[in-house]
Amino acid sequence: MLTGVVAGAVFTSPAVGSILAAIRTVAQAGAAGTLLIVKNYTGDRLNFGLALERARAEGADVRMVVVGDDSAFTTLKKAGRRGLCGTVLIHKVAGALAEAGASLNEVVEKVSAAAKAMGTLGLSLSPCSVPGSKPTFQLADDEMELGLGIHGEAGVRRMKASGAPAVPSRSLRPPTLPSWPPHALQMLPADEAVETMLAHMTDPSNASHLPLSPGASVVLVVNNLGGLSCLELGIVAGAAVRRLESRGIQVVRALVGSFMTALEMAGVSLTLMLVNEELVGLIDAETTAMAWPNLAAAPATSHRQEIPAPKEGPGTAQCETSTGPDAARVQLVLERVCGALLNMQDKLNELDRAAGDGDCGHTHARAARAIQEWVRARPPPAAPAHLLSSLANLLLEKMGGSSGVLYGLFLTAASQPLLNRNDLPAWADAMDAGIEAMQRYGGAAPGDRTMLDSLCAAAQALHALRSPGTDMLPVLVAAVQSAEAAAEATKHMEAGAGRASYISSSQLLQPDPGAVAVAGVLRAVLEGLQS
């Protein structure tokens, strides 16, 4: 893209001597000519212009293109339009032309034409601060600045940042978010903010507007002015593509990132360049510039091609429901389990606050409600393998979090030994298979202060089911008691897996919520079978 860059101090044009040194270096390296690409600010024009004159006096072939792509001002200013983020596109076009062997005259002619077909507008929720100085301007918490420059200067219009009845998911958030009460301000949705920007940029009464007609093709640059997150930038980019499409404009390429920032300013600028096939090819041309995005050579669009999800294979189809005594017992056991989890919700959340994010109870309650809805919709299958695999699919879809995956793993693996068997030893094998799958993929082991501690303790007791003539219920009672004791013992363990492993052991004074939940489920299963 560029052969050389000359930098000044923060928000200051580089000195003439520095610019002249760069021109001399490029010339001595064998350049056929030098093009200076300058943003339209008085200091830049003066310093680069003087350096150009001195270089020409030394015999160098030097030209200068001044970029003014600012679409903020409604009336023409004597100084002209400011140079903003669109300058980056000029860098790319000029570099691609030079790399392709175009003459200096041809490069100047084509980039000058491209620069006239561009518009840029900025919008910010905050000013910026030069290191060691106060903010460059003041904004109230509920205000946004439209049409500001890249050196911290204020814009042309101040607007209220509110607009929606609630804080939407697609919104520009205030820069001081951590100190704000949750409902202190209703922020303007990104689509509305972008529409405001596009309306200003393309208003024919605006002297610096960009003529944009339906059917036009543009390159869009969504530029982070410094303080937006990648998530927020992506939200604005999506809104920009949608709003342009609604105007009949094709976004042939979209660049999203930090291309021309104003320190920590929490804002964004939109650049639109009207393009033809040649300009698109120059934008797409390969470059070794490491900060240039790896663009897909395809238009940006909000339309998504939807492909139907593959149908379930013959081995995963929903099994038929059953009726009779076994089905009634299954339904009773599931009701007991759901009731237990809902009753434990607050307790599990409280235990989880010490070691996680405090949502263990919510996660298990979500699973319980999903099972209740499933049972109300149709009788659950009585066949053990079908029951466990159906529950696995349900929890994987509805439960969420790592718990949902772990339960899904356990139930999926546990269903396999029960496919063609329903004797007591098969249930012991099922427990072992489920635990083995959890350990293989989850990475935890007994003693790591997880749900595995309760499961493994219960599994050891269930091994007695493999002895001929064993009475099932006493073995289940012993398994539940072992699981409860193991859950209680986790309060003395140092966490080796999960979020709790990042917490100091001195702060983990309560049992692991996952282990407690498993013990509660096993207790509910036992009570359901006993009744």
Side-chain angles (χ1 to χ4, degrees):
M1 285 174 63
L2 297 176
T3 306
V5 176
V6 190
V10 176
F11 294 163
T12 305
S13 174
V16 173
S18 299
I19 301 168
L20 188 57
I23 296 172
R24 289 168 177 163
T25 301
V26 171
Q28 290 171 8
T34 303
L35 173 63
L36 305 179
I37 300 174
V38 180
K39 291 180 285 296
N40 187 31
Y41 293 95
T42 302
D44 293 298
R45 290 200 316 271
L46 289 172
N47 285 294
F48 277 87
L50 180 53
L52 177 147
E53 295 299 331
R54 292 183 60 181
R56 282 180 175 173
E58 296 176 0
D61 187 3
V62 186
R63 312 288 178 85
M64 184 166 76
V65 170
V66 178
V67 179
D69 55 316
D70 186 9
S71 291
F73 295 103
T74 56
T75 57
L76 290 175
K77 301 292 182 180
K78 185 175 181 179
R81 299 167 68 187
R82 296 172 295 190
L84 301 176
C85 186
T87 311
V88 175
L89 295 179
I90 298 303
H91 292 163
K92 182 64 174 67
V93 170
L97 284 167
E99 189 68 22
S103 66
L104 183 56
N105 286 337
E106 185 181 359
V107 173
V108 170
E109 178 185 349
K110 290 189 174 181
V111 298
S112 297
K116 292 176 182 177
M118 282 195 311
T120 297
L121 189 70
L123 178 72
S124 183
L125 292 160
S126 79
C128 64
S129 302
V130 175
S133 302
K134 293 181 179 180
T136 51
F137 60 89
Q138 297 297 322
L139 264 181
D141 288 339
D142 63 343
E143 291 180 331
M144 298 191 299
E145 193 79 3
L146 182 73
L148 62 176
I150 55 172
H151 301 104
E153 64 268 38
V156 298
R157 178 178 158 200
R158 192 156 295 187
M159 8 184 307
K160 290 296 183 181
S162 58
V167 179
S169 59
R170 291 176 173 175
S171 63
L172 290 173
R173 60 92 173 99
T176 54
L177 185 62
S179 64
W180 283 43
H183 304 292
L185 181 63
Q186 300 166 356
M187 297 306 298
L188 190 67
D191 282 75
E192 291 185 30
V194 167
E195 182 58 35
T196 299
M197 297 174 74
L198 292 177
H200 188 93
M201 292 175 69
T202 59
D203 183 357
S205 66
N206 175 359
S208 58
H209 79 284
L210 176 69
L212 204 59
S213 303
S217 296
V218 299
V219 169
L220 166 69
V221 182
V222 182
N223 172 55
N224 188 356
L225 288 176
L228 291 189
S229 67
C230 292
L231 175 62
E232 291 164 318
L233 205 61
I235 289 171
V236 174
V241 171
R242 286 191 299 274
R243 300 316 303 167
L244 287 166
E245 284 180 337
S246 72
R247 292 165 170 255
I249 307 302
Q250 184 184 23
V251 182
V252 294
R253 298 291 184 269
L255 290 74
V256 182
S258 298
F259 301 103
M260 191 170 291
T261 60
L263 300 175
E264 84 285 18
M265 185 176 285
V268 63
S269 68
L270 300 181
T271 297
L272 299 174
M273 174 188 272
L274 292 164
V275 293
N276 54 23
E277 189 174 335
E278 181 187 18
L279 278 176
V280 173
L282 294 170
I283 295 293
D284 286 343
E286 291 187 6
T287 176
T288 56
M290 60 183 299
W292 184 258
N294 184 21
L295 284 179
T301 177
S302 62
H303 303 299
R304 297 288 181 266
Q305 180 182 2
E306 294 187 1
I307 300 175
K311 294 183 178 180
E312 292 181 332
T316 60
Q318 175 67 36
C319 56
E320 295 182 1
T321 57
S322 303
T323 57
D326 287 344
R329 177 177 293 184
V330 166
Q331 189 157 345
L332 177 61
V333 169
L334 290 177
E335 289 172 354
R336 288 283 186 134
V337 169
C338 292
L341 290 177
L342 291 172
N343 289 335
M344 296 170 67
Q345 179 175 354
D346 291 340
K347 176 183 177 181
L348 295 176
N349 282 339
E350 184 64 30
L351 292 175
D352 195 33
R353 287 189 189 100
D357 48 12
D359 68 344
C360 182
H362 294 319
T363 302
H364 283 80
R366 187 160 55 244
R369 285 188 287 270
I371 294 172
Q372 287 176 330
E373 292 178 9
W374 178 60
V375 170
R376 282 195 294 266
R378 58 188 300 175
H386 292 164
L387 174 65
L388 296 189
S389 61
S390 297
L391 285 171
N393 291 337
L394 181 68
L395 297 185
L396 285 170
E397 180 182 354
K398 302 291 187 180
M399 187 174 186
S402 57
S403 296
V405 179
L406 289 169
Y407 280 112
L409 269 172
F410 175 84
L411 293 168
T412 299
S415 69
Q416 298 307 302
L418 297 169
L419 280 172
N420 300 309
R421 299 165 56 198
N422 193 17
D423 53 7
L424 293 181
W427 284 98
D429 295 343
M431 192 76 164
D432 288 346
I435 290 172
E436 193 276 331
M438 290 177 70
Q439 289 183 280
R440 185 189 325 137
Y441 295 106
D448 281 344
R449 199 180 190 276
T450 68
M451 64 171 65
L452 269 176
D453 292 299
S454 294
L455 284 171
C456 289
Q460 282 296 115
L462 290 179
H463 288 173
L465 294 175
R466 294 182 176 130
S467 301
T470 299
D471 188 356
M472 179 185 70
L473 280 179
V475 173
L476 291 182
V477 170
V480 171
Q481 292 173 344
S482 297
E484 291 172 338
E488 184 66 18
T490 58
K491 68 166 64 174
H492 306 297
M493 295 178 184
E494 183 170 346
R499 284 196 180 99
S501 62
Y502 302 106
I503 308 296
S504 170
S505 58
S506 63
Q507 300 178 38
L508 301 176
L509 306 177
Q510 298 294 326
D512 177 70
V516 172
V518 166
V521 169
L522 293 175
R523 169 64 66 181
V525 170
L526 173 62
E527 292 175 352
L529 292 174
Q530 287 175 328
S531 62

